[in-house]
Amino acid sequence: MKRGSPTRQRLTALGLLGIPLLSYPLVGLPGGTLADLPAIFLYLFGVWGGLIALAALVAERRGK
Amino acid sequence: MLSGWFVVLLSVAYGGLLFAVARFGDARADAGRSIIGANVYALSLAVYCTSWTFFGSVGRATSGGLSFLTIYLGPTLMLLCVGVIVKMIRIAKAQRITSIADFIAARYGKSQLLAGLVTVIAVVGIVPYIALQLKAVAASLDVLFDRSGHAIQLWGVDSTLLVAAVLALFTILFGTRHLDATERHEGMVAAVAFESVVKLLAFVAVGVFVTWGIYDGFADLFRRAAAQPELLRLMQPDPSRAGAWAAMILLSALAIVFLPRQFQVMVVENVDESHLKRAVWLFPLYLLLINIFVLPVALGGLMHFAGQGANPDTFVLTLPLSQGAQALALLVFIGGLSAATGMVIVETIALSTMVCNDLAMPALLRSTWLQRQKRGDLSRLLIGIRRLAIVFILLLGYAYFKAAGEAYALVGIGLISFAAVAQFAPALFGGMYWKQGTRAGALAGLLAGFAVWLYTLLLPSFAKSGWIDSGFVEVGPFAIDWLRAQALFGLDGLDEISHCLWWSLLANLGAYLAVSLATVPDALEASQAERFVDVFRHAQRAPDVRLWRGNASLQELVELLERFLGPARTRQQLAAHARSRGRSDWRELAPDAEFVHFAEAELAAAIGSASARAMVSSVTREEDLGLEEVLDILDEASQVRAYSRELEAKQRALEAATGELRAANAQLRELDRMKDDFISTVTHELRTPLTSIRALSEMLHDDPRLELGERRRFLGIIVGEAERLTRLINQILDLARLESGRAEWTAVAVDVGAVVREAMAALEPLFREKGVRLSGEIAAGLPSVLADRDRLTQVVVNLLSNAVKFVPGGSGEVRVGVACSDGAVRVSVADNGPGLTADECVSVFEKFRQGGNTLTDKPQGTGLGLPISRQIVDYFGGKLWVESAPGAGATFIFTVPLREPDA
């Protein structure tokens, strides 16, 4: 049986990781503000941006 | 206030620019240098961000805080499941899929019914979404000109209608440019990618303007907003909306694949699978960038227009205008226009393909009018239908916009469409990963989900617009409380979208699974299920031609292709197909399973798989394979068995070839051995006369006192041996020529009787010298034979001189007979010599085999005469043999066949 491509598997793993990170109840945790910015704003964009950065790293890695 | 003419000019100029981009994209595609790279592909996916994003996100943020982000988080997560999308693209390419309706229909046995149902759901679900885009453009014009009620007119025509008309024109030009309907729309994709850049720049510009222009950066803006309790609420997570949050993520994750325009750009317009690697992060990054400023703009707008009742959907325009930043407002207007036009163009192309292939074509194919147009070229008709469908869909959108008007906020309409296309999920994902899913199951699931969607979402939205009585929403139909449209079975406390999503997916999935498990697929369904689910396994091989059996005519299939693709493209595709099968001319192709498969795939690309199937089966006589047989063919074990059978056959062929080679090798070795024997014999034969010549010459040389008489005798022997040597060499050369086939032959009519008489006359002195009686019995009136006269003489002379050698002097007797028997002239030379044993009768024809005892007697011949004679007679098609017994003389006989009459 042929294994799926490692790139695809890593990306899918990122996607699966994103589901709990970007849903309640975890999204409900960051309340209040951080340096005047709403913590939820920072959290959502931070996690989102982090996922995108990791995806870029995985997808654009040379050789695979 | 902006000048109306300036705005019109700007819009026209922008349209012209878009036109140029699309034109450029098409020109490059025609030249074979596609501009659709990974970045363009990723940007074209951003057609997801419509005016609903551009204007509506801010509006949504003013009421729901950051919950608007779910619409963009879902697609991000979905895109990361890149394996699913790759599989979809792979299937679509293998099956020549043209739309999402085609995809679902092809999976479930190329069902026209299913294709039609998916098309209806898509059109009903999407038309409000198109209306939304028109409304957004109209609303932004209202804001620019500080008017209300979408009453702006140009030349007395409603400006929104004008926008719709221009969009229709653009869509027709770039969506149905080719007469053949199968090409990708590269110009359109390029234009959409360009628009994506424009709308992002415009939105970021207004975001920067609000954040740093009106306020003093993020921190300042958020700090001021936090001072107001109702705004602070928007900046905090709201766990009471956890259900809606999850529902929105799921809904948008489905929408990014199932919205017809997304399926179009992501799957149908995909040029290269590897582009996905870029899109998987670049598109989410785009979404992130276009959303960063949504909350700041929303909060800024709420604070700036506090108490003025401004429409939050137009904050992006009203905020710059309130600060006198008219240029920025224009840029935003263009950005909004980009968002709206991009969506409308792609969505309309996708829908028009579906309407044409899956609604219009099936109707046309059944109509008597088309039956009469048996020979006509339908490719123009096809394009015509598609153009009509574009106009029809945009008119529908315009009509909805005029009717629904202000009834709904932007955000509501978009989500209604999302929920409609989410109904495709069970049938499509099930079809990609579950072979058991059947057509009946897909139909049941879609119908159930669509019905629930209609009842819980679309009809209530009509009720809110006041078109129908809202009783069924508020108290339930016939006052049955648990049937209230937006609180089914008492499920309230959810927002209407989540409510619809959960109930419709439950009904959809439940019906799909239950009916699929309860029904048996037909043969075509089963084979399509296999091709979809195991696309990666099947892609490496040619289509399984065992899945089609029947009779087809090349001419009929080609005519069919010409009708729908047009003659030029048909020739082009036929030539390509012929090349792929190693033929130079497609007319040499047999109308076999592979050709039928090719024809159906080409048709599917033009009119969809369901209609293509119907058309192909109308001109071929197909055998129904039956489910059992199809399953057997598709069964992996049976495929392995088939391969091992093939392997066995190949192995047997290989063994046979090896056997032949071994035999050939043995023959070669034997020939080699014979050649060695021959050479050693020849050498031996040559040495014998040489030895005697040398011995006698030495004696003459060494002994000067030899008597003259003795000298004469020696010299006589030397001359005789030299002659024999010469003769021997001549005969060896002759034999070599005969055996190698290099001898020169003439073929003339020869009278065998005359040849024999001449030979007898020539050898007469020899016979007389030895005192041997020679007699001939030559039949009269013999027919002539076709032969080489000199060679024939050579054979007769050889036989006669052999005979005279072996008969005793004085009492010897040789009788020659010539007669005609069994279609051949028969020559016999009989002597009364010592005769031959049975072994000798065979061996005399071997080379260098002398008659008599070679050990005691001095050799009298070369031992090559008979082998040469046999070669000559063989060449004429006759036979040479000897009949003899020891002490009873020998009779050498040869035959030469007569010429066939008039041959």
Side-chain angles (χ1 to χ4, degrees):
Chain A
M1 198 64 203
K2 205 184 87 178
R3 281 168 58 86
S5 102
T7 307
R8 274 185 227 162
Q9 292 189 17
R10 290 190 186 119
L11 289 172
T12 307
L14 275 179
L16 292 176
L17 187 70
I19 294 174
L21 281 177
L22 293 172
S23 310
Y24 281 95
L26 283 190
V27 170
L29 282 180
T33 57
L34 210 70
D36 281 338
L37 299 176
I40 175 73
F41 185 82
L42 290 176
Y43 175 81
L44 282 175
F45 280 96
V47 171
W48 194 7
L51 282 178
I52 292 170
L54 284 174
L57 212 68
V58 171
E60 299 290 331
R61 209 160 56 167
R62 299 182 67 84
K64 268 286 154 195
Chain B
M1 272 296 285
L2 288 154
S3 150
W5 283 109
F6 185 68
V7 173
V8 169
L9 260 176
L10 193 69
S11 308
V12 168
Y14 179 66
L17 183 61
L18 220 54
F19 210 86
V21 171
R23 192 77 204 84
F24 177 65
D26 273 339
R28 287 282 295 262
D30 289 345
R33 291 177 301 138
S34 170
I35 56 166
I36 311 300
N39 293 328
V40 174
Y41 176 71
L43 284 173
S44 73
L45 295 188
V47 72
Y48 181 71
C49 300
T50 65
S51 59
W52 182 46
T53 299
F54 198 85
F55 299 109
S57 282
V58 172
R60 201 171 148 79
T62 58
S63 62
L66 282 164
S67 69
F68 74 92
L69 272 185
T70 51
I71 303 298
Y72 309 95
L73 294 175
T76 301
L77 298 178
M78 185 75 218
L79 225 63
L80 285 173
C81 301
V82 72
V84 178
I85 296 162
V86 167
K87 187 168 188 179
M88 232 180 240
I89 292 174
R90 197 68 74 79
I91 293 171
K93 283 188 178 156
Q95 301 271 331
R96 309 287 295 267
I97 297 291
T98 53
S99 68
I100 190 163
D102 202 16
F103 193 98
I104 293 176
R107 161 62 180 81
Y108 297 101
K110 307 185 180 179
S111 155
Q112 285 185 337
L113 184 61
L114 204 47
L117 178 62
V118 172
T119 303
V120 168
I121 294 177
V123 171
V124 172
I126 298 299
V127 160
Y129 204 176
I130 291 175
L132 168 75
Q133 309 303 316
L134 299 177
K135 176 177 165 174
V137 174
S140 60
L141 280 172
D142 283 352
V143 171
L144 277 188
F145 298 116
D146 199 15
R147 301 268 286 275
S148 65
H150 309 323
I152 293 163
Q153 300 204 330
L154 281 169
W155 305 290
V157 182
D158 180 6
S159 60
T160 316
L161 184 60
L162 272 181
V163 169
V166 170
L167 283 176
L169 188 70
F170 190 92
T171 312
I172 284 171
L173 279 173
F174 288 97
T176 57
R177 193 173 67 99
H178 295 279
L179 266 182
D180 52 80
T182 55
E183 293 274 306
R184 291 199 177 85
H185 312 92
E186 297 207 353
M188 176 203 79
V189 172
V192 165
F194 174 76
E195 290 195 305
S196 293
V197 175
V198 171
K199 66 196 179 199
L200 178 63
L201 287 180
F203 198 90
V204 169
V206 76
V208 168
F209 176 79
V210 171
T211 311
W212 282 282
I214 303 182
Y215 296 92
D216 194 14
F218 281 114
D220 174 52
L221 195 152
F222 282 123
R223 196 173 46 241
R224 287 210 225 170
Q228 303 184 26
E230 70 272 26
L231 296 192
L232 181 64
R233 185 182 57 82
L234 300 178
M235 293 150 61
Q236 299 295 338
D238 183 2
S240 69
R241 294 176 65 92
W245 182 279
M248 291 305 151
I249 287 194
L250 174 63
L251 196 59
S252 58
L254 298 179
I256 192 67
V257 184
F258 297 145
L259 281 170
R261 68 171 187 282
Q262 295 303 138
F263 189 87
Q264 181 82 26
V265 289
M266 191 185 290
V267 178
V268 180
E269 303 285 349
N270 176 276
V271 181
D272 184 343
E273 263 174 34
S274 68
H275 291 173
L276 262 179
K277 277 191 186 168
R278 183 68 49 82
V280 79
W281 63 270
L282 189 55
F283 172 57
L285 182 63
Y286 182 100
L287 295 180
L288 185 144
L289 290 177
I290 208 168
N291 278 303
I292 270 193
F293 291 105
V294 169
L295 190 61
V297 171
L299 294 173
L302 284 176
M303 289 189 285
H304 193 85
F305 297 113
Q308 296 176 25
N311 180 3
D313 280 348
T314 52
F315 275 174
V316 286
L317 275 171
T318 47
L319 275 171
L321 281 177
S322 73
Q323 303 291 311
Q326 294 202 340
L328 180 61
L330 278 177
L331 177 64
V332 170
F333 168 71
I334 292 295
L337 197 62
S338 289
T341 52
M343 180 278 184
V344 171
I345 290 167
V346 185
E347 200 84 84
T348 332
I349 287 177
L351 285 179
S352 74
T353 308
M354 287 158 74
V355 168
C356 169
N357 289 355
D358 303 319
L359 290 180
M361 280 314 291
L364 270 179
L365 294 180
R366 285 196 180 83
S367 75
T368 48
W369 175 81
L370 198 78
Q371 303 297 326
R372 275 184 272 121
Q373 302 269 315
K374 272 287 183 214
R375 300 257 170 261
D377 178 357
L378 294 181
S379 59
R380 283 176 175 281
L381 175 72
L382 224 57
I383 295 294
I385 293 176
R386 234 159 257 197
R387 289 178 176 159
L388 265 180
I390 287 170
V391 173
F392 166 75
I393 290 163
L394 275 169
L395 272 180
L396 222 60
Y398 178 74
Y400 190 94
F401 156 72
K402 288 308 266 187
E406 292 300 314
Y408 244 94
L410 291 183
V411 62
I413 301 180
L415 286 175
I416 290 175
S417 296
F418 275 32
V421 296
Q423 303 310 322
F424 301 149
L428 200 141
F429 284 145
M432 280 169 64
Y433 292 98
W434 190 43
K435 290 182 195 172
Q436 181 60 43
T438 65
R439 172 164 58 230
L443 274 172
L446 280 171
L447 279 174
F450 184 52
V452 173
W453 173 81
L454 273 180
Y455 184 66
T456 61
L457 210 52
L458 192 68
L459 292 183
S461 86
F462 287 173
K464 275 181 201 166
S465 305
W467 298 349
I468 50 177
D469 181 58
S470 63
F472 72 103
V473 181
E474 281 149 19
V475 295
F478 315 111
I480 304 172
D481 184 60
W482 52 270
L483 278 183
R484 276 184 296 144
Q486 300 198 321
L488 271 185
F489 304 104
L491 182 71
D492 48 14
L494 280 178
D495 63 301
E496 58 185 35
I497 301 291
S498 310
H499 174 267
C500 166
L501 185 68
W502 297 130
W503 280 125
S504 64
L505 280 189
L506 176 69
N508 189 332
L509 199 60
Y512 174 67
L513 294 176
V515 175
S516 284
L517 287 172
T519 50
V520 178
D522 67 25
L524 187 57
E525 276 180 80
S527 68
Q528 286 297 93
E530 176 76 21
R531 283 178 183 159
F532 271 59
V533 176
D534 285 337
V535 66
F536 292 114
R537 190 155 66 82
H538 287 277
Q540 293 148 9
R541 295 201 302 265
D544 202 327
V545 293
R546 290 176 300 160
L547 286 173
W548 190 89
R549 257 205 320 259
N551 288 311
S553 126
L554 189 71
Q555 195 199 348
E556 278 178 322
L557 283 169
V558 170
E559 272 172 16
L560 190 66
L561 285 177
E562 282 178 345
R563 284 176 74 198
F564 287 99
L565 305 182
R569 182 161 174 88
T570 302
R571 304 280 153 196
Q572 190 188 331
Q573 296 302 96
L574 277 171
H577 178 65
R579 264 199 307 282
S580 77
R581 292 179 65 180
R583 298 287 165 83
S584 55
D585 188 353
W586 58 266
R587 289 173 195 82
E588 294 169 11
L589 292 171
D592 54 8
E594 203 176 334
F595 187 81
V596 173
H597 185 272
F598 152 78
E600 190 175 327
E602 287 300 320
L603 272 184
I607 59 174
S609 56
S611 299
R613 179 89 280 276
M615 289 317 295
V616 166
S617 58
S618 76
V619 300
T620 55
R621 288 150 296 282
E622 299 178 352
E623 254 175 67
D624 190 6
L625 286 185
L627 181 62
E628 285 301 313
E629 194 173 349
V630 168
L631 289 181
D632 191 43
I633 290 172
L634 292 174
D635 180 32
E636 199 162 354
S638 107
Q639 295 194 348
V640 170
R641 276 201 301 280
Y643 290 143
S644 66
R645 270 200 297 278
E646 255 173 56
L647 215 68
E648 268 168 42
K650 282 200 178 123
Q651 195 179 342
R652 271 199 296 278
L654 220 74
E655 274 168 11
T658 312
E660 279 169 29
L661 276 175
R662 199 174 286 131
N665 192 31
Q667 203 179 351
L668 274 175
R669 280 171 190 279
E670 174 66 15
L671 285 173
D672 191 48
R673 193 186 57 74
M674 282 164 70
K675 187 199 74 185
D676 285 348
D677 286 356
F678 179 70
I679 287 174
S680 66
T681 318
V682 166
T683 326
H684 175 75
E685 293 299 322
L686 292 175
R687 209 169 47 200
T688 315
L690 265 179
T691 310
S692 78
I693 291 170
R694 186 176 162 196
L696 293 172
S697 311
E698 278 174 357
M699 283 165 79
L700 288 170
H701 180 262
D702 294 347
D703 192 354
R705 290 163 301 157
L706 218 55
E707 284 176 21
L708 189 64
E710 200 73 345
R711 284 182 184 229
R712 272 184 175 283
R713 196 171 68 81
F714 282 6
L715 283 173
I717 295 173
I718 289 174
V719 171
E721 289 297 287
E723 274 172 0
R724 197 160 82 89
L725 201 57
T726 312
R727 204 162 61 239
L728 192 62
I729 290 170
N730 281 342
Q731 286 191 334
I732 290 170
L733 289 176
D734 198 22
L735 189 69
R737 265 201 300 277
L738 285 174
E739 285 188 335
S740 67
R742 277 183 287 116
E744 286 177 9
W745 300 86
T746 56
V748 291
V750 178
D751 178 357
V752 180
V755 168
V756 172
R757 265 192 294 273
E758 274 172 28
M760 284 166 71
L763 293 180
E764 175 70 36
L766 201 63
F767 281 82
R768 205 176 330 122
E769 193 180 297
K770 198 174 175 182
V772 176
R773 204 159 69 84
L774 177 63
S775 64
E777 192 180 323
I778 298 166
L782 283 170
S784 59
V785 297
L786 196 65
D788 185 312
R789 189 184 172 96
D790 291 345
R791 290 288 187 189
L792 209 56
T793 309
Q794 190 183 349
V795 173
V796 178
V797 167
N798 183 259
L799 292 182
L800 288 175
S801 51
N802 272 351
V804 76
K805 261 179 239 167
F806 290 101
V807 292
S811 64
E813 186 179 358
V814 173
R815 291 187 312 279
V816 180
V818 181
C820 185
S821 71
D822 295 336
V825 174
R826 179 187 152 109
V827 179
S828 61
V829 178
D831 61 54
N832 59 348
L836 299 164
T837 64
D839 281 348
E840 284 174 326
C841 283
V842 177
S843 64
V844 284
F845 292 102
E846 288 175 13
K847 292 159 196 162
F848 299 110
R849 191 59 67 97
Q850 305 273 355
N853 190 335
T854 45
L855 288 179
T856 53
D857 301 346
K858 189 178 173 321
Q860 291 171 294
T862 57
L864 289 175
L866 282 173
I868 288 176
S869 298
R870 184 170 251 188
Q871 289 266 354
I872 292 170
V873 173
D874 279 352
Y875 184 84
F876 295 143
K879 277 173 69 180
L880 168 62
W881 71 98
V882 58
E883 291 170 0
S884 175
T891 307
F892 284 85
I893 305 159
F894 75 88
T895 59
V896 180
L898 297 175
R899 275 184 296 174
E900 296 287 317
D902 297 319

